[in-house]
Amino acid sequence: MRLILSQFYAFIAILTILRNIKVTASSSFEKSTSGLVSINAYPFGSIASCKQIPQAAVNYCGLNYKTAASSANLAPELTLVIYHILMVITNLPNIQASDQCVQNVKHLYCGLVFPRCDASKSQITFNTTNCYEATGACSSVVNSVIRRIKLCQFAPHGNFELDTCVKPPTISYLHCPSNPNLVTVPKYLILNRILVDVATTYDVDLLRDKGATEQCIQNYVNLLCQSIPFCSPDKKSLMTTVTKEMCYNAVNW
Protein backbone atom coordinates (compact mmCIF):
# COMPACT_ATOMS: atom_id res chain seq x y z
CA MET A 1 0.00 0.00 0.00
CA ARG A 2 2.84 2.41 0.76
CA LEU A 3 4.18 1.92 -2.76
CA ILE A 4 0.86 2.59 -4.47
CA LEU A 5 -0.05 5.70 -2.48
CA SER A 6 3.12 7.57 -3.35
CA GLN A 7 3.02 6.40 -6.97
CA PHE A 8 -0.18 8.40 -7.43
CA TYR A 9 1.14 11.37 -9.43
CA ALA A 10 3.92 9.33 -11.02
CA PHE A 11 1.38 6.90 -12.48
CA ILE A 12 -0.69 9.79 -13.83
CA ALA A 13 2.34 11.38 -15.44
CA ILE A 14 3.51 8.08 -16.94
CA LEU A 15 0.17 7.38 -18.55
CA THR A 16 0.01 10.94 -19.85
CA ILE A 17 3.44 10.72 -21.41
CA LEU A 18 2.65 7.40 -23.07
CA ARG A 19 -0.52 8.95 -24.47
CA ASN A 20 0.98 12.27 -25.62
CA ILE A 21 4.67 11.52 -26.16
CA LYS A 22 4.73 13.28 -29.55
CA VAL A 23 3.74 16.61 -27.98
CA THR A 24 6.97 18.11 -26.70
CA ALA A 25 7.85 21.55 -25.43
CA SER A 26 11.36 22.67 -24.58
CA SER A 27 11.22 25.60 -22.20
CA SER A 28 13.99 27.66 -20.61
CA PHE A 29 13.38 28.40 -16.96
CA GLU A 30 16.63 29.35 -15.29
CA LYS A 31 19.82 31.28 -15.96
CA SER A 32 23.07 30.34 -14.30
CA THR A 33 26.70 31.50 -14.53
CA SER A 34 27.26 28.92 -17.28
CA GLY A 35 24.36 30.17 -19.40
CA LEU A 36 20.77 29.22 -19.96
CA VAL A 37 19.38 26.05 -18.40
CA SER A 38 16.75 24.34 -20.56
CA ILE A 39 14.11 21.95 -19.28
CA ASN A 40 12.45 19.55 -21.70
CA ALA A 41 8.86 19.14 -20.60
CA TYR A 42 5.55 17.78 -21.84
CA PRO A 43 2.23 19.65 -21.56
CA PHE A 44 -0.78 17.68 -20.34
CA GLY A 45 -3.51 20.20 -19.71
CA SER A 46 -4.53 23.81 -19.38
CA ILE A 47 -4.11 25.36 -15.95
CA ALA A 48 -7.07 27.75 -15.94
CA SER A 49 -9.96 25.84 -17.49
CA CYS A 50 -12.75 23.57 -16.32
CA LYS A 51 -14.54 20.61 -17.90
CA GLN A 52 -17.38 18.32 -16.94
CA ILE A 53 -16.25 15.15 -15.17
CA PRO A 54 -16.59 12.34 -17.76
CA GLN A 55 -19.47 9.92 -17.26
CA ALA A 56 -17.29 6.95 -16.33
CA ALA A 57 -15.76 8.93 -13.45
CA VAL A 58 -19.22 10.23 -12.49
CA ASN A 59 -20.41 6.63 -12.23
CA TYR A 60 -17.35 5.53 -10.22
CA CYS A 61 -17.00 8.45 -7.81
CA GLY A 62 -20.60 9.64 -7.68
CA LEU A 63 -19.50 13.21 -8.46
CA ASN A 64 -21.28 15.22 -11.14
CA TYR A 65 -19.84 18.69 -11.66
CA LYS A 66 -17.13 20.54 -13.56
CA THR A 67 -13.56 19.99 -12.45
CA ALA A 68 -10.12 21.23 -13.50
CA ALA A 69 -9.58 20.39 -17.18
CA SER A 70 -6.37 18.52 -16.37
CA SER A 71 -8.31 16.24 -14.02
CA ALA A 72 -11.16 15.74 -16.50
CA ASN A 73 -8.72 14.85 -19.28
CA LEU A 74 -7.08 12.23 -17.06
CA ALA A 75 -10.31 10.87 -15.57
CA PRO A 76 -9.79 7.26 -16.79
CA GLU A 77 -6.26 7.15 -15.36
CA LEU A 78 -7.26 8.82 -12.11
CA THR A 79 -10.15 6.46 -11.45
CA LEU A 80 -7.90 3.51 -12.31
CA VAL A 81 -5.36 4.58 -9.71
CA ILE A 82 -8.11 4.96 -7.09
CA TYR A 83 -9.44 1.52 -8.02
CA HIS A 84 -6.02 -0.08 -7.50
CA ILE A 85 -5.56 1.66 -4.13
CA LEU A 86 -8.92 0.25 -3.02
CA MET A 87 -7.99 -3.22 -4.30
CA VAL A 88 -4.89 -3.14 -2.12
CA ILE A 89 -6.70 -2.19 1.07
CA THR A 90 -9.50 -4.65 0.26
CA ASN A 91 -7.50 -7.74 -0.65
CA LEU A 92 -4.35 -7.72 1.45
CA PRO A 93 -5.02 -9.90 4.54
CA ASN A 94 -2.88 -7.84 6.92
CA ILE A 95 -4.96 -4.68 6.24
CA GLN A 96 -8.49 -6.06 6.77
CA ALA A 97 -10.38 -3.00 5.54
CA SER A 98 -14.11 -2.87 6.21
CA ASP A 99 -16.63 -1.87 3.52
CA GLN A 100 -17.07 1.50 5.25
CA CYS A 101 -13.32 2.06 5.29
CA VAL A 102 -13.10 1.35 1.55
CA GLN A 103 -15.97 3.73 0.79
CA ASN A 104 -14.46 6.49 2.93
CA VAL A 105 -11.03 6.18 1.30
CA LYS A 106 -12.66 6.13 -2.15
CA HIS A 107 -14.59 9.31 -1.36
CA LEU A 108 -11.44 10.98 -0.04
CA TYR A 109 -9.41 10.23 -3.16
CA CYS A 110 -12.24 11.13 -5.54
CA GLY A 111 -12.49 14.52 -3.83
CA LEU A 112 -8.73 14.90 -4.04
CA VAL A 113 -8.36 14.19 -7.77
CA PHE A 114 -11.60 15.86 -8.92
CA PRO A 115 -11.77 19.31 -7.28
CA ARG A 116 -14.97 21.25 -8.00
CA CYS A 117 -14.88 24.34 -10.22
CA ASP A 118 -16.94 27.33 -9.17
CA ALA A 119 -19.54 28.99 -11.42
CA SER A 120 -16.98 31.45 -12.81
CA LYS A 121 -14.59 28.57 -13.68
CA SER A 122 -11.75 30.49 -12.08
CA GLN A 123 -11.53 28.69 -8.74
CA ILE A 124 -11.47 25.08 -7.56
CA THR A 125 -12.44 23.59 -4.21
CA PHE A 126 -10.96 20.40 -2.75
CA ASN A 127 -13.35 18.37 -0.62
CA THR A 128 -10.68 16.90 1.65
CA THR A 129 -11.56 18.61 4.92
CA ASN A 130 -12.74 15.27 6.31
CA CYS A 131 -9.39 13.60 5.61
CA TYR A 132 -8.70 12.69 9.23
CA GLU A 133 -12.22 11.32 9.72
CA ALA A 134 -12.14 9.36 6.44
CA THR A 135 -10.05 6.54 7.90
CA GLY A 136 -11.92 6.34 11.19
CA ALA A 137 -13.55 3.09 10.10
CA CYS A 138 -10.24 1.66 8.87
CA SER A 139 -7.80 -0.71 10.51
CA SER A 140 -4.74 0.48 12.38
CA VAL A 141 -2.58 -0.53 9.37
CA VAL A 142 -4.42 1.82 7.01
CA ASN A 143 -4.38 4.64 9.55
CA SER A 144 -0.69 4.10 10.18
CA VAL A 145 0.14 4.44 6.49
CA ILE A 146 -1.98 7.57 6.10
CA ARG A 147 -0.23 9.14 9.09
CA ARG A 148 3.26 8.18 8.01
CA ILE A 149 2.96 9.56 4.48
CA LYS A 150 1.31 12.70 5.94
CA LEU A 151 -1.49 12.61 3.37
CA CYS A 152 -3.92 14.64 5.46
CA GLN A 153 -1.25 17.15 6.40
CA PHE A 154 -0.14 17.94 2.85
CA ALA A 155 -3.20 17.18 0.70
CA PRO A 156 -4.77 20.36 -0.71
CA HIS A 157 -8.00 21.50 0.90
CA GLY A 158 -10.19 24.55 0.53
CA ASN A 159 -10.35 27.01 -2.38
CA PHE A 160 -7.65 27.87 -4.92
CA GLU A 161 -7.47 30.18 -7.93
CA LEU A 162 -6.86 28.04 -10.99
CA ASP A 163 -4.49 30.44 -12.71
CA THR A 164 -2.20 31.12 -9.74
CA CYS A 165 1.33 29.73 -10.05
CA VAL A 166 3.75 30.17 -7.17
CA LYS A 167 7.28 29.22 -6.25
CA PRO A 168 7.29 26.05 -4.12
CA PRO A 169 8.74 26.23 -0.60
CA THR A 170 12.52 26.14 -0.33
CA ILE A 171 13.29 23.26 2.00
CA SER A 172 15.73 20.38 2.21
CA TYR A 173 14.08 17.33 0.70
CA LEU A 174 15.11 13.80 1.67
CA HIS A 175 14.99 12.40 -1.87
CA CYS A 176 13.67 14.90 -4.40
CA PRO A 177 15.82 17.77 -5.66
CA SER A 178 14.49 21.29 -5.29
CA ASN A 179 12.85 22.87 -8.32
CA PRO A 180 15.00 25.19 -10.46
CA ASN A 181 14.71 28.79 -9.27
CA LEU A 182 12.32 30.04 -11.94
CA VAL A 183 9.99 27.03 -11.94
CA THR A 184 6.56 27.60 -10.41
CA VAL A 185 3.72 25.23 -9.57
CA PRO A 186 -0.05 25.68 -9.35
CA LYS A 187 -0.81 26.91 -5.85
CA TYR A 188 -3.08 23.93 -5.18
CA LEU A 189 -0.10 21.60 -5.85
CA ILE A 190 2.41 23.53 -3.77
CA LEU A 191 2.77 20.78 -1.13
CA ASN A 192 2.75 17.78 -3.46
CA ARG A 193 6.54 17.57 -3.75
CA ILE A 194 6.73 17.35 0.04
CA LEU A 195 4.06 14.63 0.06
CA VAL A 196 5.88 12.59 -2.59
CA ASP A 197 9.23 13.10 -0.89
CA VAL A 198 7.91 11.87 2.47
CA ALA A 199 6.14 8.85 0.96
CA THR A 200 9.22 7.96 -1.10
CA THR A 201 11.13 7.26 2.12
CA TYR A 202 8.88 4.29 2.84
CA ASP A 203 8.99 3.09 -0.76
CA VAL A 204 12.79 3.08 -0.66
CA ASP A 205 12.75 0.99 2.53
CA LEU A 206 10.28 -1.44 0.95
CA LEU A 207 12.32 -1.80 -2.25
CA ARG A 208 15.48 -2.47 -0.24
CA ASP A 209 13.63 -5.11 1.80
CA LYS A 210 12.64 -6.78 -1.50
CA GLY A 211 16.26 -6.88 -2.69
CA ALA A 212 16.13 -4.10 -5.29
CA THR A 213 19.48 -2.73 -6.42
CA GLU A 214 20.49 0.81 -5.51
CA GLN A 215 20.34 1.78 -9.20
CA CYS A 216 16.81 0.43 -9.43
CA ILE A 217 15.82 2.39 -6.34
CA GLN A 218 17.39 5.57 -7.71
CA ASN A 219 15.56 5.19 -11.03
CA TYR A 220 12.29 4.78 -9.17
CA VAL A 221 12.96 7.83 -6.98
CA ASN A 222 13.84 9.90 -10.07
CA LEU A 223 10.52 8.95 -11.65
CA LEU A 224 8.51 9.88 -8.57
CA CYS A 225 10.29 13.17 -7.97
CA GLN A 226 9.94 14.33 -11.56
CA SER A 227 6.28 13.34 -11.80
CA ILE A 228 4.93 16.40 -9.97
CA PRO A 229 3.47 18.81 -12.55
CA PHE A 230 4.54 22.44 -12.77
CA CYS A 231 3.52 25.58 -14.64
CA SER A 232 4.71 26.43 -18.14
CA PRO A 233 6.64 29.71 -18.47
CA ASP A 234 3.48 31.47 -19.70
CA LYS A 235 1.53 29.93 -16.80
CA LYS A 236 -1.12 28.52 -19.11
CA SER A 237 -0.27 24.79 -19.16
CA LEU A 238 0.66 22.05 -16.73
CA MET A 239 3.98 20.41 -17.58
CA THR A 240 5.87 17.27 -16.62
CA THR A 241 9.46 16.17 -17.27
CA VAL A 242 8.74 12.43 -17.13
CA THR A 243 9.88 10.60 -20.28
CA LYS A 244 9.40 7.11 -21.69
CA GLU A 245 13.04 6.31 -20.97
CA MET A 246 12.65 7.38 -17.35
CA CYS A 247 9.58 5.19 -17.04
CA TYR A 248 11.27 2.14 -18.57
CA ASN A 249 14.34 2.58 -16.34
CA ALA A 250 12.12 2.63 -13.25
CA VAL A 251 10.16 -0.53 -14.06
CA ASN A 252 12.95 -2.66 -15.56
CA TRP A 253 14.47 -4.31 -12.50
Side-chain angles (χ1 to χ4, degrees):
M1 183 177 176
R2 296 180 300 184
L3 200 64
I4 289 180
L5 285 171
S6 62
Q7 283 177 327
F8 199 77
Y9 281 100
F11 188 41
I12 295 169
I14 294 164
L15 291 173
T16 305
I17 292 303
L18 295 178
R19 181 201 287 178
N20 300 317
I21 194 68
K22 293 182 180 179
V23 182
T24 307
S26 180
S27 302
S28 298
F29 284 93
E30 182 179 30
K31 286 185 177 181
S32 66
T33 54
S34 60
L36 194 65
V37 175
S38 181
I39 299 174
N40 293 321
Y42 305 90
F44 67 93
S46 170
I47 290 177
S49 62
C50 297
K51 291 177 67 175
Q52 179 65 33
I53 297 177
Q55 191 59 46
V58 170
N59 295 341
Y60 185 77
C61 286
L63 306 176
N64 191 8
Y65 49 73
K66 289 186 177 180
T67 187
S70 55
S71 293
N73 293 339
L74 291 170
E77 290 87 348
L78 291 168
T79 52
L80 181 62
V81 174
I82 297 171
Y83 170 80
H84 281 293
I85 291 174
L86 297 181
M87 287 301 97
V88 169
I89 68 173
T90 300
N91 295 322
L92 288 186
N94 63 316
I95 293 181
Q96 299 177 336
S98 66
D99 291 343
Q100 188 61 57
C101 168
V102 172
Q103 286 303 311
N104 290 352
V105 172
K106 177 180 177 180
H107 180 73
L108 172 63
Y109 271 99
C110 285
L112 179 62
V113 303
F114 295 120
R116 181 192 290 268
C117 283
D118 67 355
S120 68
K121 301 180 183 178
S122 63
Q123 191 177 78
I124 53 174
T125 302
F126 286 87
N127 182 22
T128 55
T129 54
N130 65 336
C131 184
Y132 288 103
E133 291 83 20
T135 58
C138 297
S139 68
S140 59
V141 176
V142 175
N143 279 287
S144 175
V145 171
I146 295 294
R147 285 195 300 271
R148 282 190 292 177
I149 67 170
K150 300 183 179 180
L151 175 64
C152 294
Q153 182 177 344
F154 294 128
H157 63 274
N159 303 324
F160 295 87
E161 297 295 325
L162 270 170
D163 60 354
T164 301
C165 293
V166 297
K167 183 172 173 53
T170 302
I171 65 172
S172 297
Y173 296 100
L174 295 174
H175 300 282
C176 296
S178 297
N179 283 314
N181 286 339
L182 298 185
V183 167
T184 59
V185 298
K187 192 171 183 180
Y188 60 88
L189 295 180
I190 192 170
L191 297 179
N192 279 357
R193 180 170 288 266
I194 301 175
L195 180 61
V196 169
D197 190 71
V198 171
T200 298
T201 298
Y202 302 102
D203 289 353
V204 168
D205 291 342
L206 180 60
L207 288 170
R208 285 203 176 105
D209 289 344
K210 298 299 181 182
T213 65
E214 289 303 310
Q215 186 60 58
C216 166
I217 293 171
Q218 188 58 54
N219 290 342
Y220 175 77
V221 169
N222 290 342
L223 178 65
L224 284 183
C225 292
Q226 299 214 33
S227 67
I228 303 299
F230 54 92
C231 298
S232 61
D234 61 7
K235 296 179 172 55
K236 293 183 178 180
S237 300
L238 286 175
M239 313 289 288
T240 178
T241 58
V242 174
T243 64
K244 272 188 174 181
E245 181 181 6
M246 193 180 299
C247 175
Y248 292 143
N249 287 340
V251 298
N252 289 331
W253 292 37

